[in-house]
Amino acid sequence: MTSAPFRLAPGGTVGIVGGGQLGRMAALAAARLGYRVHIFSPEPDSPAAQVAAAATVAAYTDPAALESFARAVDVVTFEFENIPADSVRRLAEIVPVRPSWTVLETAQDRIVEKRFFNGIGIATAPWRAVDGVAALEAALAEIGRPAVLKTARMGYDGKGQVRIDADTDAAAAWAALGKAPGGAAGSAILEGFIDFQGEISVVIARGGDGAWAAFDPAWNVHRHHILHTSTVPAPIPAATATAAIDIARRAAEALDVIGLLAVEMFVTPDGLLVNEMAPRPHNSGHWTIDACLTDQFEQFIRAVCGLPLGSPRRHSDAVMTNLIGDEAADWLDLLRDPEAHLHLYGKAEARPGRKMGHVTRLHRPGGGFDEATMI
Ligand SMILES: Nc1ncnc2c1ncn2[C@@H]1O[C@H](COP(=O)(O)OP(=O)(O)O)[C@@H](O)[C@H]1O
Ligand SMILES: [Mg+2]
């Protein structure tokens, strides 16, 4: 079946499922292009709803709320991918949903995701699906230690992960995982621990016409399993950057993504290994707001609405630093640097580990790394 390419003219309403900071920044980008945004989120006064024209506050599984949301918008996309299949199906019966369920389904489950990447010839850490202590012990015998045990679903910011060292008891590791979000389902993945040189990510946009545009790979440093900084350019050779973009493009094409795909990778002496992906704007792409001709949020809206993609060209070097928990309380000091770009997400309560905002500092292009500091 072929149909005319979908295009939503400015003035239309973009529905975004999820109410966090990614939805907030996407809503701001949509507003700049003349769209109205309607947020669907279980959280009242969510960061995204604060800047949107309309909001539905309801559970992701509420059929009546999903139906009236779908009827109130012209296209639906997601800033959060852990949406039940049935909810996405209900939405898609009424309104175009981009990206499609296949993409969300693949990104929701680490086992499906790894199988997908390996299936298109893209390397990952060695892994085994495990569903209990016996399977975990067998997988450890094959993969060896150290290793990382992760819940297959619902993990984020290092939640739902247990590192298994030489002396870690498999039964204890399995029990610890059971207490994490998604752990109760009993489906998990064991990954070999990668002694990487660093972590990078690529955010790629792809339109319904197959056109794509990728941002420069960002160099990501985590603290307490939460992204701390993203730096561009990444201190990697040009060939590695090209290979990373090629991986993101192949994945986006194989999944027929319409929207954004962010792919996280480990840089190793033997090449790149994909860690995970997300079919939406990504924390490691926030630097694009201040350092690129078109940022990830505008590119997301353009792709979802069937508009031509903008140029992802980077005009400055940049370092994006996340403000976690109390760190956003320093907003006045951060603003005292007149060249710092401060972004706050409107979250009332600064819980530990919560992403409250970010700050991006730009530098003259080419001022970053020289060959000697490269990986
Ligand atoms: N197999 C692995 N080997 C080494 N480090 C890992 C491995 N898997 C995850 N990590 C580390 O933990 C971080 C978070 O893991 P990730 O799978 O990206 O989960 P999430 O971002 O959903 O919490 C990664 O960015 C990386 O620093
Ligand atoms: Mg990750």
PDB file of all heavy atoms in Angstrom, residues 110 125 148 150 155-159 161 191-194 196 199 222 225 264 266 275-276, ligand 1:
ATOM      1  N   ARG A 110      16.042  -4.811  25.678  1.00  0.00           N
ATOM      2  CA  ARG A 110      17.473  -4.907  25.338  1.00  0.00           C
ATOM      3  C   ARG A 110      17.805  -6.173  24.544  1.00  0.00           C
ATOM      4  O   ARG A 110      18.784  -6.193  23.789  1.00  0.00           O
ATOM      5  CB  ARG A 110      18.310  -4.883  26.618  1.00  0.00           C
ATOM      6  CG  ARG A 110      18.233  -3.560  27.378  1.00  0.00           C
ATOM      7  CD  ARG A 110      19.215  -3.566  28.551  1.00  0.00           C
ATOM      8  NE  ARG A 110      18.995  -2.460  29.464  1.00  0.00           N
ATOM      9  CZ  ARG A 110      19.463  -1.212  29.276  1.00  0.00           C
ATOM     10  NH1 ARG A 110      20.178  -0.927  28.206  1.00  0.00           N
ATOM     11  NH2 ARG A 110      19.225  -0.269  30.161  1.00  0.00           N
ATOM     12  N   ALA A 125      28.378  -5.720  22.559  1.00  0.00           N
ATOM     13  CA  ALA A 125      29.033  -6.573  23.554  1.00  0.00           C
ATOM     14  C   ALA A 125      28.479  -7.987  23.386  1.00  0.00           C
ATOM     15  O   ALA A 125      27.330  -8.156  22.959  1.00  0.00           O
ATOM     16  CB  ALA A 125      28.722  -6.051  24.958  1.00  0.00           C
ATOM     17  N   VAL A 148      27.846  -7.489  32.970  1.00  0.00           N
ATOM     18  CA  VAL A 148      26.786  -6.618  33.475  1.00  0.00           C
ATOM     19  C   VAL A 148      25.453  -7.304  33.233  1.00  0.00           C
ATOM     20  O   VAL A 148      25.171  -7.714  32.100  1.00  0.00           O
ATOM     21  CB  VAL A 148      26.774  -5.233  32.767  1.00  0.00           C
ATOM     22  CG1 VAL A 148      25.827  -4.278  33.481  1.00  0.00           C
ATOM     23  CG2 VAL A 148      28.162  -4.636  32.702  1.00  0.00           C
ATOM     24  N   LYS A 150      21.486  -6.853  33.180  1.00  0.00           N
ATOM     25  CA  LYS A 150      20.525  -5.743  33.052  1.00  0.00           C
ATOM     26  C   LYS A 150      19.118  -6.293  32.882  1.00  0.00           C
ATOM     27  O   LYS A 150      18.932  -7.315  32.199  1.00  0.00           O
ATOM     28  CB  LYS A 150      20.836  -4.891  31.803  1.00  0.00           C
ATOM     29  CG  LYS A 150      22.239  -4.336  31.731  1.00  0.00           C
ATOM     30  CD  LYS A 150      22.429  -3.513  30.446  1.00  0.00           C
ATOM     31  CE  LYS A 150      23.838  -2.971  30.334  1.00  0.00           C
ATOM     32  NZ  LYS A 150      24.067  -2.239  29.071  1.00  0.00           N
ATOM     33  N   GLY A 155      14.880  -0.127  31.989  1.00  0.00           N
ATOM     34  CA  GLY A 155      16.071   0.454  32.635  1.00  0.00           C
ATOM     35  C   GLY A 155      16.377   1.846  32.094  1.00  0.00           C
ATOM     36  O   GLY A 155      16.090   2.136  30.935  1.00  0.00           O
ATOM     37  N   TYR A 156      16.926   2.707  32.926  1.00  0.00           N
ATOM     38  CA  TYR A 156      17.438   3.995  32.469  1.00  0.00           C
ATOM     39  C   TYR A 156      18.385   4.529  33.525  1.00  0.00           C
ATOM     40  O   TYR A 156      18.285   4.170  34.698  1.00  0.00           O
ATOM     41  CB  TYR A 156      16.313   5.005  32.188  1.00  0.00           C
ATOM     42  CG  TYR A 156      15.617   5.490  33.441  1.00  0.00           C
ATOM     43  CD1 TYR A 156      15.958   6.705  34.027  1.00  0.00           C
ATOM     44  CD2 TYR A 156      14.657   4.717  34.062  1.00  0.00           C
ATOM     45  CE1 TYR A 156      15.339   7.140  35.204  1.00  0.00           C
ATOM     46  CE2 TYR A 156      14.035   5.136  35.231  1.00  0.00           C
ATOM     47  CZ  TYR A 156      14.380   6.342  35.792  1.00  0.00           C
ATOM     48  OH  TYR A 156      13.787   6.764  36.952  1.00  0.00           O
ATOM     49  N   ASP A 157      19.308   5.388  33.106  1.00  0.00           N
ATOM     50  CA  ASP A 157      20.287   5.980  34.019  1.00  0.00           C
ATOM     51  C   ASP A 157      20.917   4.927  34.938  1.00  0.00           C
ATOM     52  O   ASP A 157      21.105   5.159  36.132  1.00  0.00           O
ATOM     53  CB  ASP A 157      19.638   7.094  34.860  1.00  0.00           C
ATOM     54  CG  ASP A 157      19.334   8.340  34.020  1.00  0.00           C
ATOM     55  OD1 ASP A 157      19.864   8.442  32.899  1.00  0.00           O
ATOM     56  OD2 ASP A 157      18.573   9.205  34.499  1.00  0.00           O
ATOM     57  N   GLY A 158      21.250   3.792  34.371  1.00  0.00           N
ATOM     58  CA  GLY A 158      21.924   2.734  35.124  1.00  0.00           C
ATOM     59  C   GLY A 158      21.006   1.955  36.064  1.00  0.00           C
ATOM     60  O   GLY A 158      21.452   1.028  36.742  1.00  0.00           O
ATOM     61  N   LYS A 159      19.720   2.310  36.107  1.00  0.00           N
ATOM     62  CA  LYS A 159      18.795   1.570  36.975  1.00  0.00           C
ATOM     63  C   LYS A 159      18.497   0.221  36.323  1.00  0.00           C
ATOM     64  O   LYS A 159      18.396   0.130  35.101  1.00  0.00           O
ATOM     65  CB  LYS A 159      17.498   2.362  37.171  1.00  0.00           C
ATOM     66  CG  LYS A 159      17.701   3.640  37.981  1.00  0.00           C
ATOM     67  CD  LYS A 159      16.369   4.315  38.265  1.00  0.00           C
ATOM     68  CE  LYS A 159      16.499   5.490  39.206  1.00  0.00           C
ATOM     69  NZ  LYS A 159      17.415   6.546  38.740  1.00  0.00           N
ATOM     70  N   GLN A 161      20.534  -2.450  36.669  1.00  0.00           N
ATOM     71  CA  GLN A 161      21.795  -3.059  36.236  1.00  0.00           C
ATOM     72  C   GLN A 161      22.602  -3.497  37.446  1.00  0.00           C
ATOM     73  O   GLN A 161      22.650  -2.783  38.446  1.00  0.00           O
ATOM     74  CB  GLN A 161      22.644  -2.043  35.460  1.00  0.00           C
ATOM     75  CG  GLN A 161      21.986  -1.547  34.208  1.00  0.00           C
ATOM     76  CD  GLN A 161      22.961  -0.821  33.296  1.00  0.00           C
ATOM     77  OE1 GLN A 161      24.178  -0.950  33.433  1.00  0.00           O
ATOM     78  NE2 GLN A 161      22.427  -0.092  32.344  1.00  0.00           N
ATOM     79  N   GLU A 191      25.553  -9.062  29.702  1.00  0.00           N
ATOM     80  CA  GLU A 191      26.486  -8.544  28.698  1.00  0.00           C
ATOM     81  C   GLU A 191      27.904  -8.655  29.227  1.00  0.00           C
ATOM     82  O   GLU A 191      28.152  -8.384  30.403  1.00  0.00           O
ATOM     83  CB  GLU A 191      26.228  -7.049  28.429  1.00  0.00           C
ATOM     84  CG  GLU A 191      24.856  -6.741  27.899  1.00  0.00           C
ATOM     85  CD  GLU A 191      24.659  -5.232  27.690  1.00  0.00           C
ATOM     86  OE1 GLU A 191      25.648  -4.465  27.714  1.00  0.00           O
ATOM     87  OE2 GLU A 191      23.499  -4.840  27.521  1.00  0.00           O
ATOM     88  N   GLY A 192      28.819  -9.003  28.351  1.00  0.00           N
ATOM     89  CA  GLY A 192      30.221  -8.945  28.726  1.00  0.00           C
ATOM     90  C   GLY A 192      30.581  -7.503  29.051  1.00  0.00           C
ATOM     91  O   GLY A 192      30.064  -6.573  28.420  1.00  0.00           O
ATOM     92  N   PHE A 193      31.430  -7.308  30.062  1.00  0.00           N
ATOM     93  CA  PHE A 193      31.828  -5.946  30.437  1.00  0.00           C
ATOM     94  C   PHE A 193      32.864  -5.457  29.428  1.00  0.00           C
ATOM     95  O   PHE A 193      33.880  -6.101  29.197  1.00  0.00           O
ATOM     96  CB  PHE A 193      32.401  -5.927  31.855  1.00  0.00           C
ATOM     97  CG  PHE A 193      32.699  -4.534  32.325  1.00  0.00           C
ATOM     98  CD1 PHE A 193      31.687  -3.749  32.861  1.00  0.00           C
ATOM     99  CD2 PHE A 193      33.973  -3.994  32.201  1.00  0.00           C
ATOM    100  CE1 PHE A 193      31.942  -2.445  33.273  1.00  0.00           C
ATOM    101  CE2 PHE A 193      34.238  -2.698  32.612  1.00  0.00           C
ATOM    102  CZ  PHE A 193      33.219  -1.922  33.152  1.00  0.00           C
ATOM    103  N   ILE A 194      32.599  -4.316  28.825  1.00  0.00           N
ATOM    104  CA  ILE A 194      33.496  -3.772  27.806  1.00  0.00           C
ATOM    105  C   ILE A 194      34.426  -2.745  28.447  1.00  0.00           C
ATOM    106  O   ILE A 194      33.981  -1.754  29.018  1.00  0.00           O
ATOM    107  CB  ILE A 194      32.680  -3.094  26.670  1.00  0.00           C
ATOM    108  CG1 ILE A 194      31.659  -4.082  26.070  1.00  0.00           C
ATOM    109  CG2 ILE A 194      33.614  -2.542  25.602  1.00  0.00           C
ATOM    110  CD1 ILE A 194      32.248  -5.341  25.480  1.00  0.00           C
ATOM    111  N   PHE A 196      36.001  -0.125  27.655  1.00  0.00           N
ATOM    112  CA  PHE A 196      36.044   0.809  26.520  1.00  0.00           C
ATOM    113  C   PHE A 196      37.005   1.977  26.746  1.00  0.00           C
ATOM    114  O   PHE A 196      37.348   2.310  27.879  1.00  0.00           O
ATOM    115  CB  PHE A 196      34.637   1.324  26.206  1.00  0.00           C
ATOM    116  CG  PHE A 196      33.874   1.860  27.389  1.00  0.00           C
ATOM    117  CD1 PHE A 196      34.219   3.064  27.971  1.00  0.00           C
ATOM    118  CD2 PHE A 196      32.785   1.160  27.911  1.00  0.00           C
ATOM    119  CE1 PHE A 196      33.502   3.568  29.043  1.00  0.00           C
ATOM    120  CE2 PHE A 196      32.066   1.654  29.000  1.00  0.00           C
ATOM    121  CZ  PHE A 196      32.428   2.860  29.564  1.00  0.00           C
ATOM    122  N   GLU A 199      32.863   6.530  25.399  1.00  0.00           N
ATOM    123  CA  GLU A 199      31.506   6.310  24.886  1.00  0.00           C
ATOM    124  C   GLU A 199      31.127   7.479  23.986  1.00  0.00           C
ATOM    125  O   GLU A 199      31.381   8.635  24.322  1.00  0.00           O
ATOM    126  CB  GLU A 199      30.504   6.234  26.035  1.00  0.00           C
ATOM    127  CG  GLU A 199      30.752   5.041  26.944  1.00  0.00           C
ATOM    128  CD  GLU A 199      29.656   4.898  27.994  1.00  0.00           C
ATOM    129  OE1 GLU A 199      28.553   4.462  27.657  1.00  0.00           O
ATOM    130  OE2 GLU A 199      29.917   5.249  29.163  1.00  0.00           O
ATOM    131  N   HIS A 222      29.932   9.581  31.851  1.00  0.00           N
ATOM    132  CA  HIS A 222      28.881   9.332  32.846  1.00  0.00           C
ATOM    133  C   HIS A 222      29.449   9.461  34.255  1.00  0.00           C
ATOM    134  O   HIS A 222      30.620   9.181  34.480  1.00  0.00           O
ATOM    135  CB  HIS A 222      28.292   7.921  32.668  1.00  0.00           C
ATOM    136  CG  HIS A 222      27.550   7.760  31.381  1.00  0.00           C
ATOM    137  ND1 HIS A 222      28.183   7.514  30.181  1.00  0.00           N
ATOM    138  CD2 HIS A 222      26.231   7.830  31.098  1.00  0.00           C
ATOM    139  CE1 HIS A 222      27.281   7.441  29.218  1.00  0.00           C
ATOM    140  NE2 HIS A 222      26.096   7.632  29.749  1.00  0.00           N
ATOM    141  N   HIS A 225      26.472   6.509  36.732  1.00  0.00           N
ATOM    142  CA  HIS A 225      25.610   5.927  35.696  1.00  0.00           C
ATOM    143  C   HIS A 225      24.685   6.933  35.023  1.00  0.00           C
ATOM    144  O   HIS A 225      23.784   6.558  34.285  1.00  0.00           O
ATOM    145  CB  HIS A 225      24.769   4.764  36.240  1.00  0.00           C
ATOM    146  CG  HIS A 225      25.591   3.695  36.865  1.00  0.00           C
ATOM    147  ND1 HIS A 225      26.309   2.794  36.116  1.00  0.00           N
ATOM    148  CD2 HIS A 225      25.831   3.400  38.155  1.00  0.00           C
ATOM    149  CE1 HIS A 225      26.969   1.988  36.931  1.00  0.00           C
ATOM    150  NE2 HIS A 225      26.705   2.332  38.174  1.00  0.00           N
ATOM    151  N   GLU A 264      23.899   4.820  21.113  1.00  0.00           N
ATOM    152  CA  GLU A 264      25.048   4.905  22.015  1.00  0.00           C
ATOM    153  C   GLU A 264      26.036   3.802  21.663  1.00  0.00           C
ATOM    154  O   GLU A 264      25.634   2.663  21.435  1.00  0.00           O
ATOM    155  CB  GLU A 264      24.606   4.702  23.471  1.00  0.00           C
ATOM    156  CG  GLU A 264      23.623   5.741  23.972  1.00  0.00           C
ATOM    157  CD  GLU A 264      23.165   5.451  25.408  1.00  0.00           C
ATOM    158  OE1 GLU A 264      23.822   4.660  26.118  1.00  0.00           O
ATOM    159  OE2 GLU A 264      22.131   6.003  25.792  1.00  0.00           O
ATOM    160  N   PHE A 266      30.228   2.113  22.316  1.00  0.00           N
ATOM    161  CA  PHE A 266      31.493   2.062  23.035  1.00  0.00           C
ATOM    162  C   PHE A 266      32.613   2.144  21.998  1.00  0.00           C
ATOM    163  O   PHE A 266      32.550   1.467  20.971  1.00  0.00           O
ATOM    164  CB  PHE A 266      31.647   0.736  23.794  1.00  0.00           C
ATOM    165  CG  PHE A 266      30.570   0.480  24.829  1.00  0.00           C
ATOM    166  CD1 PHE A 266      29.946  -0.763  24.908  1.00  0.00           C
ATOM    167  CD2 PHE A 266      30.188   1.469  25.735  1.00  0.00           C
ATOM    168  CE1 PHE A 266      28.975  -1.019  25.871  1.00  0.00           C
ATOM    169  CE2 PHE A 266      29.218   1.217  26.697  1.00  0.00           C
ATOM    170  CZ  PHE A 266      28.606  -0.026  26.760  1.00  0.00           C
ATOM    171  N   ASN A 275      25.932   0.035  22.165  1.00  0.00           N
ATOM    172  CA  ASN A 275      25.409  -0.243  23.505  1.00  0.00           C
ATOM    173  C   ASN A 275      23.882  -0.286  23.465  1.00  0.00           C
ATOM    174  O   ASN A 275      23.276  -1.321  23.708  1.00  0.00           O
ATOM    175  CB  ASN A 275      25.912   0.807  24.502  1.00  0.00           C
ATOM    176  CG  ASN A 275      25.275   0.669  25.866  1.00  0.00           C
ATOM    177  OD1 ASN A 275      24.887  -0.432  26.261  1.00  0.00           O
ATOM    178  ND2 ASN A 275      25.128   1.762  26.573  1.00  0.00           N
ATOM    179  N   GLU A 276      23.248   0.827  23.146  1.00  0.00           N
ATOM    180  CA  GLU A 276      21.787   0.829  23.068  1.00  0.00           C
ATOM    181  C   GLU A 276      21.317   1.972  22.189  1.00  0.00           C
ATOM    182  O   GLU A 276      22.117   2.792  21.741  1.00  0.00           O
ATOM    183  CB  GLU A 276      21.165   0.929  24.466  1.00  0.00           C
ATOM    184  CG  GLU A 276      21.535   2.197  25.218  1.00  0.00           C
ATOM    185  CD  GLU A 276      20.674   2.413  26.469  1.00  0.00           C
ATOM    186  OE1 GLU A 276      19.694   1.701  26.685  1.00  0.00           O
ATOM    187  OE2 GLU A 276      20.998   3.356  27.217  1.00  0.00           O
TER     188      GLU A 276
HETATM  189  N1  LIG B   1      28.460  -4.036  28.715  1.00  0.00           N
HETATM  190  C1  LIG B   1      28.951  -2.940  29.306  1.00  0.00           C
HETATM  191  N2  LIG B   1      30.281  -2.801  29.524  1.00  0.00           N
HETATM  192  C2  LIG B   1      30.791  -1.707  30.138  1.00  0.00           C
HETATM  193  N3  LIG B   1      30.034  -0.674  30.566  1.00  0.00           N
HETATM  194  C3  LIG B   1      28.706  -0.733  30.384  1.00  0.00           C
HETATM  195  C4  LIG B   1      28.089  -1.865  29.740  1.00  0.00           C
HETATM  196  N4  LIG B   1      26.761  -1.639  29.674  1.00  0.00           N
HETATM  197  C5  LIG B   1      26.562  -0.435  30.260  1.00  0.00           C
HETATM  198  N5  LIG B   1      27.710   0.110  30.681  1.00  0.00           N
HETATM  199  C6  LIG B   1      27.862   1.442  31.327  1.00  0.00           C
HETATM  200  O1  LIG B   1      26.642   1.802  31.962  1.00  0.00           O
HETATM  201  C7  LIG B   1      26.042   2.932  31.299  1.00  0.00           C
HETATM  202  C8  LIG B   1      24.531   2.790  31.278  1.00  0.00           C
HETATM  203  O2  LIG B   1      24.164   1.594  30.591  1.00  0.00           O
HETATM  204  P1  LIG B   1      23.076   1.585  29.421  1.00  0.00           P
HETATM  205  O3  LIG B   1      23.011   0.213  28.888  1.00  0.00           O
HETATM  206  O4  LIG B   1      23.375   2.668  28.457  1.00  0.00           O
HETATM  207  O5  LIG B   1      21.745   1.834  30.221  1.00  0.00           O
HETATM  208  P2  LIG B   1      20.861   3.112  30.512  1.00  0.00           P
HETATM  209  O6  LIG B   1      21.507   4.283  29.810  1.00  0.00           O
HETATM  210  O7  LIG B   1      19.550   2.733  29.925  1.00  0.00           O
HETATM  211  O8  LIG B   1      20.854   3.210  31.980  1.00  0.00           O
HETATM  212  C9  LIG B   1      26.677   2.959  29.927  1.00  0.00           C
HETATM  213  O9  LIG B   1      26.625   4.252  29.359  1.00  0.00           O
HETATM  214  C10 LIG B   1      28.096   2.500  30.255  1.00  0.00           C
HETATM  215  O10 LIG B   1      28.835   3.550  30.855  1.00  0.00           O
END
